[in-house]
Amino acid sequence: MSAKQDNRNNRIDIKRVAVYALLVAICLIVGYLENYLSISLAAIIPGVKIGLSNAIVLTLIFCGDTKGAWMVNITRICLSALIFGSPISFLFSLSGGIASMITASVLSRFKSVSAIGTSIAGGAMHNIFQCFAAMIFVGVGVVKILPFLILLGAICGAFCGVLLSLILKKLKTSKVF
Amino acid sequence: MFLKKGDIVVIGSVALAFVLSFLLWLPFSKQGDRVIIKQNNKEIYSGSINKDNIITTDTNTIIIKDGVVYMDNATCKNQVCVNSGKISKKGESILCLPNKTIVTIE
């Protein structure tokens, strides 16, 4: 391979960068807005969120850009911790984010698992690993709420999954990716 | 609707995880045997949960009666510890942050 070709392959695609930046911005706004959406949910367990930004990251995965999805999600987690959160909330969302990303990256490779299934598994895994993080910082007793966290993660994941399949349907007719 | 075969496997395993996670409650549902009270990080009381007792510190009153422990009285404003009810299981605790008092069961 010549040096010129190599250079071309590694060139940063400006359109892609713009799309990633746009998606990070959407994630942050959606993450902020869902604070208001989830006030009624927070009455059950404090701090429960639907995780709408997951639908956006999963869109990228299902469009075949897993690497981009990782970049967008890690950037989103760092930025939202800087803007809205604290060091501990950063570690919580990082552990949950990485767990759900691994799950989604693996499951999206299976043809027989649809967007909804991937989203449900991702939501559940997110909450499981967030609970493990909480066990380190808060205490082992947190494990008691794990069943409810799994259930809520699955329900919120299903909601995001339906949203995701609607987004994917629309995207098929456009040429954004 | 949009569901495929693999989704049923995924939903099934999440449901299984939900059921299995209740097993994690078991280590916490054992009846405790010792009550330990700490104030300012120093242990000020340690005793059996079955021995009825009333422990009074400068700020808090803790009552051990019939195998359950509760905070009867506290000088703090928020009264979270008084309202947190009775504890008797291993690993449970009552915290009074304003007075730096912790009641745990082991």
Side-chain angles (χ1 to χ4, degrees), chain A:
Chain A
M1 196 192 284
S2 73
K4 201 179 171 188
Q5 247 181 337
D6 195 7
N7 190 31
R8 187 178 292 165
N9 286 343
N10 284 331
R11 201 176 57 179
I12 299 166
D13 186 343
I14 295 170
K15 192 190 160 196
R16 220 131 252 274
V17 171
V19 168
Y20 292 161
L22 183 72
L23 288 177
V24 170
I26 296 175
C27 282
L28 286 173
I29 286 297
V30 155
Y32 177 68
L33 288 180
E34 75 182 356
N35 278 333
Y36 296 100
L37 261 181
S38 53
I39 285 170
S40 51
L41 273 177
I44 314 167
I45 296 178
V48 172
K49 279 200 205 165
I50 304 171
L52 286 174
S53 51
N54 267 323
I56 292 149
V57 174
L58 282 173
T59 310
L60 261 183
I61 290 187
F62 274 88
C63 289
D65 192 357
T66 312
K67 205 175 130 200
W70 276 93
M71 290 198 281
V72 168
N73 205 10
I74 300 289
T75 316
R76 170 193 67 90
I77 290 166
C78 294
L79 284 177
S80 71
L82 279 174
I83 301 169
F84 313 113
S86 62
I88 291 200
S89 80
F90 169 67
L91 288 173
F92 276 20
S93 50
L94 191 66
S95 61
I98 290 174
S100 60
M101 281 299 287
I102 292 172
T103 318
S105 320
V106 171
L107 281 182
S108 62
R109 277 161 197 255
F110 290 99
K111 280 259 150 52
S112 60
V113 182
S114 76
I116 298 179
T118 311
S119 187
I120 289 175
M125 286 300 273
H126 179 279
N127 281 7
I128 290 171
F129 276 81
Q130 213 159 41
C131 189
F132 288 158
M135 277 164 73
I136 297 168
F137 288 104
V138 183
V140 193
V142 181
V143 85
K144 271 187 170 179
I145 59 168
L146 186 60
F148 305 110
L149 284 178
I150 293 176
L151 188 68
L152 277 171
I155 293 169
C156 296
F159 182 80
C160 282
V162 173
L163 196 67
L164 173 63
S165 37
L166 293 175
I167 294 174
L168 289 173
K169 224 184 212 173
K170 284 269 174 202
L171 276 181
K172 260 182 199 163
T173 51
S174 71
K175 288 271 187 294
V176 183
F177 295 103

Side-chain angles (χ1 to χ4, degrees), chain B residues 50-92:
Chain B
N50 295 316
K51 205 181 94 197
D52 292 359
N53 206 342
I54 298 173
I55 301 107
T56 340
T57 69
D58 306 339
T59 48
N60 297 49
T61 309
I62 298 123
I63 296 183
I64 306 171
K65 199 173 179 236
D66 302 328
V68 293
V69 186
Y70 59 97
M71 189 77 75
D72 187 53
N73 206 345
T75 55
C76 58
K77 259 186 193 163
N78 60 25
Q79 298 286 306
V80 168
C81 51
V82 178
N83 293 327
S84 54
K86 296 171 177 175
I87 59 172
S88 60
K89 306 272 194 308
K90 240 174 213 177
E92 283 186 321

